Amino acid sequence: MQSIRIYEMPDCKMVSSGKGMFGEKKFNRFEEWLSMQKRGLFPKDFLFGGEDGFTWLYMFEDGMSVPTEFEIIDFRGGLYAVATDIDQKTDLDSMNAEVDKFLNENGFKRDSSRPQLGNIITSTAVNKIMGYDQMDYYFPIKG
């Protein structure tokens, strides 16, 4: 069984939180807006960044009501290697080694021109049962 999968994201529009940190007013406002969006079969939000701040994205759809404080940006899609683990408990070194092994065996390379993304794939109900969230980690790749 393979634990890494390949996912292709289309070029699309995304609503952007702008760079920020959890706990900051604008970032909290984005999280509130995001939580009001109807949950579909797959999550539509993606987080990227690091020590100097995060950016939260949400896939834009025509007719969507977006607060004026958030920008709608062009998102460059592409291929991603996706791995799943426990949010905030992931052994990133081990995960990176597993992703690299998979990429090497299947003719892919990492694409450093695009950011790595992540999103929580579990619902609140699942978190209540398991006691944690599962997170998908998206590693940009090219053939």
Side-chain angles (χ1 to χ4, degrees):
M1 177 201 278
Q2 292 183 326
S3 61
I4 308 297
R5 65 189 189 278
I6 302 296
Y7 185 72
E8 185 172 5
M9 294 177 82
D11 292 344
C12 62
K13 301 275 187 195
M14 295 269 197
V15 180
S16 174
S17 66
K19 191 175 276 191
M21 294 296 278
F22 290 95
E24 292 177 357
K25 185 177 180 179
K26 186 175 178 184
F27 217 67
N28 287 348
R29 173 79 175 104
F30 189 85
E31 185 173 19
E32 289 170 15
W33 173 80
L34 180 116
S35 68
M36 294 181 341
Q37 305 309 306
K38 184 178 177 182
R39 186 174 172 89
L41 185 59
F42 299 102
K44 297 177 183 177
D45 65 300
F46 301 90
L47 187 72
F48 69 92
E51 293 177 22
D52 64 335
F54 295 94
T55 301
W56 213 336
L57 303 173
Y58 188 85
M59 187 175 282
F60 177 78
E61 296 173 5
D62 288 337
M64 181 179 278
S65 176
V66 177
T68 57
E69 68 218 77
F70 305 122
E71 186 179 0
I72 299 171
I73 64 165
D74 291 319
F75 177 81
R76 188 175 122 216
L79 296 175
Y80 289 84
V82 184
T84 304
D85 207 340
I86 298 173
D87 183 35
Q88 299 184 29
K89 295 187 180 185
T90 300
D91 178 343
L92 294 175
D93 290 336
S94 176
M95 178 181 283
N96 276 310
E98 187 175 343
V99 168
D100 286 340
K101 181 177 185 256
F102 175 87
L103 296 178
N104 289 334
E105 290 173 353
N106 291 284
F108 293 101
K109 298 178 208 169
R110 288 182 185 252
D111 179 358
S112 61
S113 70
R114 297 178 290 137
Q116 294 182 22
L117 306 171
N119 70 3
I120 301 297
I121 59 172
T122 46
S123 68
T124 305
V126 172
N127 180 294
K128 287 180 183 176
I129 295 166
M130 295 191 319
Y132 61 86
D133 286 311
Q134 290 179 310
M135 182 167 176
D136 272 351
Y137 294 84
Y138 290 75
F139 302 91
I141 61 172
K142 55 188 172 184

